[in-house]
Amino acid sequence: MSLDFTAIDFETANGFRGSPCAVGLSKVRGGVVVEEASWLMRPPENHDRFDHHNVRIHGIRPELVAGLPRFGELFPEIGAFIGGDVLAAHNAAFDLGVIRSGLEVSGLAGPAYDYVCTVMLSRRCYSLVSNSLPYAAEEAGVPLVNHHDAAEDARACAGILIDIAARNGAGSIAELFLSLGLTVSRQGAFDPLRDPLSKASQSALDAFAGGPAAAAPVRAYQPGWPEEGANPLPNALAEPGHPLFGQTVVFTGELAITRPEAKIRSAEHGARPESRVTARTTVLVVGDGFVAADLRSGRLTGKARRVLDLHERGQRIEVLSEGEFLQMVGGHVASAAIA
């Protein structure tokens, strides 16, 4: 047995996971990257709107993909590159969700994939105030230069998994997960003639058809402290492999969604939302356009400063941007489209 897998990273045109516009892949054999591939693409038809927020992050504009094959046309090549490999992704719930939703709205069948999440592994094996890809890649010795370039992000993800395996003396993913007491996750095969659509795809199709999800309400600004709302109980039936499962989550700053809605979304994935940073807190989600680099610049809320203090005292706690949180829970907010 050897350390063999394929790392994958998608960029999307808008908040719907099934709108891939770029993918990067790094194939690893024996703990070494031996082959790479990347494609720009048009997202599936009717889901190819480019939102300003997404373009600002990855720089891919609609004119860059005009006339290129759509995701469904490229998937045979993507699938052939992956083959039967275990997939690795940083926040794998998002990238595997891109594959599933992209296939669903394209009306195509897809194979099952075993996968591992390097966010989860970073939390388990590193001690970082943020397990976002730039921080984890730096810790692994593969620092990112162009974050959100799909090819570079996939390469960084591969480097993180290679580093974590080496630190644990593991010669394969199976050996690594056995040593950590973890189980490799699996996304089942999909047949459009037999299987129901995922919640994300159904909501996107409803929106396109003018259904109840057609217009996401835009929350008006309200001065003063945001309404925290109740703290729902975590969903005991949530996927244990999800990066929020079992976490105690607190929210701070001005979010694009309401705090009560953010708490509901986190609880659906097995997290326990709370209103204050305490010794139980394991994740702080920061709004107001926060990115991981703000941890170094000092542009922080009071709760975030409290998190840094607790982290320095040895508490296992991390900071997420709202964008990273929304990727994890599969949600998005309305955004202006780019023509």
Side-chain angles (χ1 to χ4, degrees):
M1 297 177 67
S2 63
L3 189 64
D4 300 343
F5 63 91
T6 292
I8 189 166
D9 179 82
F10 280 103
E11 301 297 329
T12 57
N14 54 67
F16 171 46
R17 290 180 176 182
S19 65
C21 58
V23 65
L25 302 113
S26 289
K27 186 173 290 293
V28 173
R29 290 292 180 266
V32 177
V33 175
V34 296
E35 188 178 0
E36 296 184 320
S38 63
W39 288 272
L40 290 174
M41 68 194 76
R42 282 188 297 162
E45 190 174 2
N46 302 326
H47 304 282
D48 49 6
R49 179 190 74 256
F50 278 75
D51 286 350
H52 172 76
H53 173 73
N54 294 64
V55 172
R56 182 173 59 83
I57 290 173
H58 53 55
I60 302 170
R61 299 181 61 86
E63 56 266 27
L64 288 177
V65 302
L68 294 180
R70 294 193 185 273
F71 169 77
E73 299 171 88
L74 275 175
F75 187 73
E77 292 183 68
I78 297 170
F81 187 95
I82 298 169
D85 280 4
V86 172
L87 282 174
H90 205 72
N91 186 14
F94 171 76
D95 294 280
L96 272 292
V98 171
I99 294 175
R100 178 64 180 261
S101 286
L103 291 171
E104 287 176 335
V105 297
S106 300
L108 297 174
Y113 289 110
D114 290 331
Y115 67 91
V116 299
C117 178
T118 50
V119 170
M120 299 284 289
L121 292 172
S122 175
R123 283 179 177 167
R124 189 71 173 258
C125 300
Y126 298 153
S127 181
L128 304 174
V129 71
S130 170
N131 289 290
S132 66
L133 188 60
Y135 273 74
E138 183 176 314
E139 178 69 16
V142 287
L144 275 168
V145 177
N146 298 307
H147 186 25
H148 294 297
D149 174 89
E152 186 164 342
D153 284 2
R155 189 181 310 126
C157 173
I160 292 166
L161 183 49
I162 291 167
D163 178 67
I164 287 174
R167 292 189 187 202
N168 285 274
S172 68
I173 288 178
E175 189 176 338
L176 173 63
F177 272 61
L178 181 63
S179 70
L180 296 175
L182 300 174
T183 303
V184 173
S185 299
R186 185 173 180 84
Q187 176 166 280
F190 170 72
D191 183 341
L193 299 178
R194 180 193 64 209
D195 297 319
L197 295 175
S198 64
K199 181 179 177 181
S201 295
Q202 188 61 63
S203 295
L205 291 171
D206 286 346
F208 176 73
V218 178
R219 181 164 60 96
Y221 172 74
Q222 295 179 332
W225 294 105
E227 174 59 43
E228 285 283 349
N231 293 318
L233 293 175
N235 175 15
L237 300 178
E239 169 56 52
H242 192 277
L244 290 176
F245 186 87
Q247 304 298 317
T248 299
V249 182
V250 175
F251 299 88
T252 187
E254 189 69 21
L255 304 178
I257 59 176
T258 65
R259 294 259 180 103
E261 182 182 356
K263 289 182 174 183
I264 290 170
R265 292 191 189 187
S266 65
E268 287 175 346
H269 291 279
R272 180 178 298 278
E274 294 189 343
S275 300
R276 295 186 303 112
V277 174
T278 69
R280 293 186 300 272
T281 307
T282 57
V283 173
L284 179 73
V285 178
V286 184
D288 298 315
F290 167 87
V291 294
D294 291 336
L295 292 169
R296 292 194 174 99
S297 71
R299 194 182 74 84
L300 299 169
T301 67
K303 283 182 179 177
R305 291 191 182 92
R306 168 73 171 151
V307 162
L308 290 179
D309 181 57
L310 291 172
H311 189 271
E312 288 176 358
R313 296 181 186 183
Q315 183 169 331
R316 301 284 292 190
I317 188 169
E318 70 170 304
V319 180
L320 292 178
S321 69
E322 184 182 17
E324 290 170 317
F325 169 74
L326 288 174
Q327 272 198 345
M328 291 179 179
V329 300
H332 65 283
V333 294
S335 173
I338 292 179

